[in-house]
Each structure stands twice: as structure tokens, then as C-alpha cells.
Amino acid sequence: MAKAPTVIILNGPNLNLLGSREQAIYGKETLADIEKSARQCAKQLGLAIEFRQSNHEGEIVDWIQKARGKASGMIVNAGALTHTSIAIHDALRAVGLPVIEVHLSNIFQREVFRHQSYVSPVAQGVICGFGGQGYELALRAMARLVAGKGIA
Ligand code: DQA
């Protein structure tokens, strides 16, 4: 049997605090709960996943660079770095894999400083406002992308 395509799921600063952090905005699920659901969903879709979180921009840049030649796509919730990090933007652009941007909250309903994303210009699409479920929606979309089905 052919090896399952690998999708790297990257989570940025403070997402390790999910479950206790601003529950009204981010919900009650922990990052471990989200990872568990993502693993189940990926299995059904025939995808392998690597699920990671870091509070450090440089570590995230390193992971993006290392995805080259190893992964078929990336699902990225860069947390607050979404709104600030040209380094993450450049790394995603350099690696050139399909990217789906995810946010638990609807960033466009929130403060103006969250309306700008440095990830969106290098992402195939954005899923935001659906809580932890957004990761499963992104995996479904990624399964089609890596199968070469595009948006049709
Ligand atoms: C977030 C939205 C960001 O604006 C915020 O800084 C986060 C989480 C989200 O998932 O809704 O840390 O990426």
C-alpha cells in the first residue's frame, strides 16, 4: 500500500493554553482534544499527521522549512504570529506546499489588529470561527488538495 501523505499541523503561541484561555472566545477544548479529533479525522481520510505547537517564531520557521520534501501540505494556526510574522510568511512561500490557515475564532469579528494576516496571502484558503472543528474542516479540504482535486 502507498504511504499516507503527511500533513503538518502547526500551532503558534498560547494555543497550548486552550481549554483554560478565554473560553468564551476559544471554547473548552484543549489542544490535546483537538489533536485527538484531528488524528481520528486524518485516519479516515487516509492522511498521516504531525501535530505541533510552539510559542517561538523561530521554531515554527524551522518546522516549516523542514516540511519541504517530507510533507504534502500544512495546516497553520499561527496564533498572534498570524498578524505579525513576515518570517512565517516568507518560510511558507519558500517551501511552496499547499497551506490552509485555521483560526478557532472569527478573527474578522474581533479587534482590527487581528484582521490582517501574513499567512492568508500564502494560503490556499482560510477557515475561521468554527472552534476546534476548523482543524477537521481543514483536513477535509487538504485531503482533496493533496489528491489533486483543487476547489472543484
Ligand atoms: C487565533 C486568533 C489570533 O488572533 C490569536 O492571537 C490566537 C488564536 C485563533 O485561533 O482564533 O492566539 O489564531
Side-chain angles (χ1 to χ4, degrees), residues 13 15 21 26 77 79-80 83 103-105 107 110 114:
L15 291 165
R21 172 191 186 201
Y26 298 116
N77 181 354
H83 318 298
H103 300 284
L104 291 106
S105 63
I107 54 174
R110 301 182 62 196
R114 295 184 205 275

Short mmCIF file of all heavy atoms in Angstrom, two decimals, residues 13 15 21 26 77 79-80 83 103-105 107 110 114, ligand 1:
data_model
loop_
_atom_site.label_atom_id
_atom_site.label_comp_id
_atom_site.label_asym_id
_atom_site.label_seq_id
_atom_site.Cartn_x
_atom_site.Cartn_y
_atom_site.Cartn_z
N PRO A 13 1.85 30.55 19.26
CA PRO A 13 1.87 30.94 20.67
C PRO A 13 0.51 30.91 21.36
O PRO A 13 -0.50 31.30 20.76
CB PRO A 13 2.38 32.39 20.63
CG PRO A 13 3.09 32.51 19.34
CD PRO A 13 2.48 31.53 18.40
N LEU A 15 -1.52 28.71 22.08
CA LEU A 15 -2.52 27.69 21.77
C LEU A 15 -2.37 26.48 22.70
O LEU A 15 -3.30 25.69 22.84
CB LEU A 15 -2.46 27.31 20.28
CG LEU A 15 -2.96 28.47 19.41
CD1 LEU A 15 -2.59 28.28 17.96
CD2 LEU A 15 -4.46 28.67 19.55
N ARG A 21 -7.88 29.15 28.43
CA ARG A 21 -7.69 30.51 27.92
C ARG A 21 -8.99 31.05 27.32
O ARG A 21 -9.53 30.45 26.39
CB ARG A 21 -6.63 30.42 26.82
CG ARG A 21 -6.41 31.66 26.04
CD ARG A 21 -5.54 31.37 24.81
NE ARG A 21 -5.22 32.62 24.16
CZ ARG A 21 -4.86 32.72 22.89
NH1 ARG A 21 -4.73 31.64 22.15
NH2 ARG A 21 -4.59 33.90 22.37
N TYR A 26 -12.48 30.93 22.70
CA TYR A 26 -11.79 29.77 22.10
C TYR A 26 -12.42 28.43 22.45
O TYR A 26 -11.99 27.40 21.92
CB TYR A 26 -10.32 29.78 22.53
CG TYR A 26 -9.57 31.01 22.04
CD1 TYR A 26 -9.04 31.94 22.92
CD2 TYR A 26 -9.42 31.24 20.68
CE1 TYR A 26 -8.36 33.07 22.47
CE2 TYR A 26 -8.75 32.37 20.21
CZ TYR A 26 -8.22 33.27 21.11
OH TYR A 26 -7.56 34.38 20.65
N ASN A 77 -2.23 27.32 12.24
CA ASN A 77 -2.83 28.33 13.11
C ASN A 77 -1.65 28.98 13.83
O ASN A 77 -1.17 28.45 14.84
CB ASN A 77 -3.81 27.72 14.11
CG ASN A 77 -4.44 28.79 14.99
OD1 ASN A 77 -4.06 29.96 14.93
ND2 ASN A 77 -5.41 28.39 15.81
N GLY A 79 -1.56 31.56 15.59
CA GLY A 79 -1.91 32.39 16.74
C GLY A 79 -1.63 33.85 16.44
O GLY A 79 -1.81 34.31 15.30
N ALA A 80 -1.11 34.58 17.42
CA ALA A 80 -0.87 36.01 17.22
C ALA A 80 0.20 36.28 16.16
O ALA A 80 0.23 37.36 15.56
CB ALA A 80 -0.46 36.65 18.55
N HIS A 83 -0.58 37.73 12.69
CA HIS A 83 -0.78 39.15 12.43
C HIS A 83 0.53 39.94 12.40
O HIS A 83 0.52 41.15 12.19
CB HIS A 83 -1.71 39.74 13.50
CG HIS A 83 -2.87 38.85 13.83
ND1 HIS A 83 -3.81 38.50 12.89
CD2 HIS A 83 -3.22 38.19 14.96
CE1 HIS A 83 -4.70 37.68 13.45
NE2 HIS A 83 -4.37 37.48 14.70
N HIS A 103 -8.17 29.38 12.20
CA HIS A 103 -8.30 30.07 13.49
C HIS A 103 -9.55 29.57 14.17
O HIS A 103 -10.59 29.40 13.50
CB HIS A 103 -8.41 31.59 13.31
CG HIS A 103 -7.22 32.16 12.63
ND1 HIS A 103 -6.02 32.34 13.27
CD2 HIS A 103 -7.02 32.52 11.34
CE1 HIS A 103 -5.14 32.82 12.41
NE2 HIS A 103 -5.72 32.93 11.22
N LEU A 104 -9.46 29.35 15.45
CA LEU A 104 -10.66 28.92 16.19
C LEU A 104 -11.72 30.02 16.18
O LEU A 104 -12.90 29.75 15.96
CB LEU A 104 -10.29 28.57 17.64
CG LEU A 104 -9.44 27.32 17.77
CD1 LEU A 104 -8.02 27.67 18.09
CD2 LEU A 104 -10.01 26.41 18.81
N SER A 105 -11.28 31.24 16.43
CA SER A 105 -12.22 32.36 16.49
C SER A 105 -12.36 32.99 15.10
O SER A 105 -11.52 32.78 14.23
CB SER A 105 -11.69 33.41 17.48
OG SER A 105 -10.45 33.92 17.03
N ILE A 107 -11.62 35.82 13.32
CA ILE A 107 -10.73 36.96 13.54
C ILE A 107 -11.30 38.26 12.98
O ILE A 107 -10.93 39.34 13.43
CB ILE A 107 -9.30 36.71 12.98
CG1 ILE A 107 -9.33 36.30 11.51
CG2 ILE A 107 -8.57 35.66 13.82
CD1 ILE A 107 -7.94 36.16 10.86
N ARG A 110 -13.31 40.41 15.43
CA ARG A 110 -12.58 40.82 16.62
C ARG A 110 -11.82 42.14 16.38
O ARG A 110 -12.15 42.88 15.46
CB ARG A 110 -11.66 39.67 17.05
CG ARG A 110 -12.47 38.39 17.34
CD ARG A 110 -11.60 37.26 17.81
NE ARG A 110 -10.93 37.59 19.07
CZ ARG A 110 -9.88 36.93 19.56
NH1 ARG A 110 -9.39 35.90 18.87
NH2 ARG A 110 -9.34 37.29 20.70
N ARG A 114 -6.43 42.10 14.41
CA ARG A 114 -6.49 40.69 14.01
C ARG A 114 -6.99 40.51 12.58
O ARG A 114 -7.07 39.39 12.07
CB ARG A 114 -7.39 39.89 14.97
CG ARG A 114 -6.87 39.82 16.37
CD ARG A 114 -7.74 38.95 17.25
NE ARG A 114 -7.59 39.34 18.64
CZ ARG A 114 -6.61 38.91 19.45
NH1 ARG A 114 -5.72 38.05 19.02
NH2 ARG A 114 -6.55 39.34 20.69
C1 DQA B 1 -6.21 32.64 16.92
C2 DQA B 1 -6.58 34.09 16.65
C3 DQA B 1 -5.39 35.01 16.92
O1 DQA B 1 -5.76 36.37 16.68
C4 DQA B 1 -4.94 34.88 18.36
O2 DQA B 1 -3.80 35.68 18.59
C5 DQA B 1 -4.71 33.48 18.76
C6 DQA B 1 -5.65 32.46 18.31
C7 DQA B 1 -7.43 31.71 16.78
O3 DQA B 1 -7.22 30.51 16.65
O4 DQA B 1 -8.57 32.16 16.86
O5 DQA B 1 -3.80 33.18 19.53
O6 DQA B 1 -5.24 32.24 15.96
#
